[in-house]
Amino acid sequence: MVKYLDLQRITAKYADEIHQALARVADSGWYLQGEENKNFEQHYADYIGSRYCIGVANGLDALIWILRAYMELGYLRPGDEVLVPANTYIASILAITENGLKPVLIEPRLSNYQIDEDLIEQHLTERSKALMIVHLYGQCAYSDKIRALCERYGLKLIEDNAQAHGCLYAGRKTGSLGDAAGHSFYPGKNLGALGDGGAVTTNDKELAKVVRTLANYGSEKKYLFRYTGRNSRLDEIQAAVLNVKLPYLDQDIELRKQVAARYLLEIRHPGIQLPLVTDRGQHVYHIFPIRCSRRDALQAFLESRGIQTLIHYPIPPHKQACYKEWHNLSLPITEQIHREELSLPLSPVMTREEIDQVIAAVNAFD
């Protein structure tokens, strides 16, 4: 079986260093808000190219705290609108509704699955206060046009960078392009911990201060609570693991690019739509999505050939039970993507033989 993502093999690449890091934390007697967090926050801020990094419990919390901090600072109020791509993972939208804000769902471009920047302006109202872009699948969603729109209409630009660690735009890392960015270190990410973890990056000193306070029960000083916050902290064990893996991230991305390059060159099935990649040097290939009108049959066929695949994602957010008020929305491009998308195995530990097997199986689909 070619696994979709072999986390055991990935972790084994760094096993000695991870074991040393875990022992170091265990022996230290300091398990929260210690040197491992401090070091990782500095290292990740330097990597992204931002002034501040705040470790939090997970990627969803990172987005929640950005929006909540803007509310505490007076930039956002309950009922304000946040524009967001309709075809994102639901966490992007949960962060908006969690804060009593209104998501405005924007269709993507079918060609590259990123938010259609030409549709943004027509969805703006007097309540539009922020735009959240999602670097879906590891490809950059940012553009100069998006930045210009945000500046023209006074929108905060928030990046959901959960799937795009190391992605570039004109030499700058995603996560440093907007006003603030949320990052996820879920184990399956390009930079993954051994459990949940997340971070916020920003150049805004006040925003960083409020995010850190909110994620620490709302406390700036022990037993003094400025905000009604929550406990959302990156623990020392996960920070230590991330400190081990971060120096290898760019190397792993290069290995991912090599797998993707073979898929793009050698998969030639007429019934399968490969992803459009406008700049292969910038894409970090967290996910390699293909589309097929007979997606379920293709997935079953690949399974019979020993190829494990995943669907990102089978049901779009506006059709989920938790958002039943949106069920009457017509978002045909989003719905087509969710109906046809299938993700092929792609990781920095795939062997040439496994890549060959995937390509041969896809091309043999009848």
Side-chain angles (χ1 to χ4, degrees):
M1 169 68 73
V2 178
K3 292 184 178 181
Y4 173 76
L5 182 66
D6 195 331
L7 288 176
Q8 190 172 25
R9 279 166 60 189
I10 290 174
T11 302
K13 289 180 62 177
Y14 321 105
D16 290 344
E17 291 179 76
I18 287 175
H19 291 159
Q20 292 172 21
L22 296 178
R24 183 173 66 246
V25 173
D27 292 344
S28 74
W30 195 292
Y31 308 125
L32 285 169
Q33 296 181 298
E35 288 300 310
E36 298 293 344
N37 257 275
K38 181 180 178 180
N39 290 337
F40 175 70
E41 288 179 347
Q42 185 61 61
H43 295 156
Y44 195 62
D46 291 343
Y47 177 80
I48 292 295
S50 62
R51 292 178 63 190
Y52 305 103
C53 173
I54 306 95
V56 296
N58 53 68
L60 172 57
D61 277 6
L63 297 174
I64 287 173
W65 297 133
I66 291 169
L67 293 169
R68 172 71 184 282
Y70 278 134
M71 297 182 80
E72 296 292 351
L73 290 168
Y75 292 110
L76 294 174
R77 300 179 186 278
D80 281 347
E81 296 172 353
V82 180
L83 286 72
V84 64
N87 64 314
T88 185
Y89 181 57
I90 200 169
S92 312
I93 296 169
L94 289 173
I96 299 169
T97 57
E98 173 76 11
N99 281 290
L101 301 165
K102 181 182 177 181
V104 177
L105 305 182
I106 310 293
E107 285 267 63
R109 286 193 166 122
L110 187 59
S111 58
N112 66 1
Y113 314 123
Q114 306 303 318
I115 191 168
D116 189 339
E117 60 188 17
D118 293 333
L119 299 180
I120 293 172
E121 198 164 12
Q122 69 190 54
H123 286 84
L124 295 174
T125 74
E126 62 181 13
R127 297 305 301 270
S128 302
K129 302 298 181 182
L131 168 62
M132 182 184 294
I133 58 174
V134 181
H135 305 299
L136 196 67
Y137 306 145
Q139 182 158 256
C140 183
Y142 178 89
S143 70
D144 290 340
K145 181 173 182 177
I146 284 175
R147 168 52 75 186
L149 282 169
C150 289
E151 291 176 351
R152 185 184 314 158
Y153 293 102
L155 304 176
K156 291 294 183 184
L157 179 57
I158 300 164
E159 299 174 77
D160 182 340
N161 201 52
Q163 298 186 5
H165 316 123
C167 183
L168 292 168
Y169 179 84
R172 295 173 58 194
K173 296 282 199 325
T174 55
S176 69
L177 302 171
D179 296 295
H183 308 255
S184 169
F185 306 121
Y186 179 79
K189 304 298 187 185
N190 287 16
L191 179 62
L194 296 188
D196 274 321
V200 171
T201 55
T202 183
N203 290 327
D204 186 329
K205 183 177 181 179
E206 282 303 306
L207 182 75
K209 181 179 178 181
V210 177
V211 166
R212 189 178 296 281
T213 303
L214 286 167
N216 187 38
Y217 296 98
S219 173
E220 291 179 312
K221 185 177 180 181
K222 196 167 186 177
Y223 301 131
L224 296 177
F225 302 93
R226 182 168 183 176
Y227 309 112
T228 54
R230 286 212 313 254
N231 175 11
S232 177
R233 300 175 298 204
L234 182 66
D235 70 61
E236 287 289 278
I237 288 176
Q238 303 308 334
V241 171
L242 293 168
N243 273 321
V244 168
K245 296 179 74 175
L246 180 58
Y248 299 102
L249 177 56
D250 287 344
Q251 174 184 313
D252 284 349
I253 289 171
E254 286 304 314
L255 294 171
R256 287 176 171 273
K257 289 179 179 180
Q258 291 174 23
V259 179
R262 288 203 56 199
Y263 285 168
L264 290 167
L265 180 65
E266 299 178 43
I267 293 176
R268 299 172 182 171
H269 194 291
I272 290 171
Q273 181 65 50
L274 297 173
L276 174 66
V277 181
T278 53
D279 189 333
R280 296 187 186 185
Q282 295 185 3
H283 203 312
V284 295
Y285 298 103
H286 171 59
I287 290 168
F288 191 93
I290 60 174
R291 290 198 342 268
C292 179
S293 61
R294 298 171 56 219
R295 189 264 310 282
D296 294 345
L298 173 60
Q299 185 175 42
F301 176 80
L302 294 177
E303 180 75 18
S304 73
R305 294 291 187 99
I307 311 295
Q308 184 184 43
T309 59
L310 292 180
I311 298 171
H312 294 93
Y313 303 94
I315 303 173
H318 71 285
K319 296 298 184 182
Q320 296 287 350
C322 61
Y323 290 125
K324 57 182 179 294
E325 66 271 23
W326 296 341
H327 284 187
N328 63 338
L329 289 178
S330 176
L331 296 166
I333 296 175
T334 292
E335 290 161 19
Q336 180 181 352
I337 292 170
H338 287 253
R339 187 171 60 248
E340 297 181 349
E341 193 277 340
L342 187 67
S343 302
L344 298 182
L346 194 155
S347 80
V349 295
M350 287 185 72
T351 65
R352 174 175 290 275
E353 291 72 25
E354 288 173 327
I355 301 167
D356 289 343
Q357 187 177 342
V358 173
I359 293 168
V362 173
N363 284 334
F365 176 60
D366 186 2

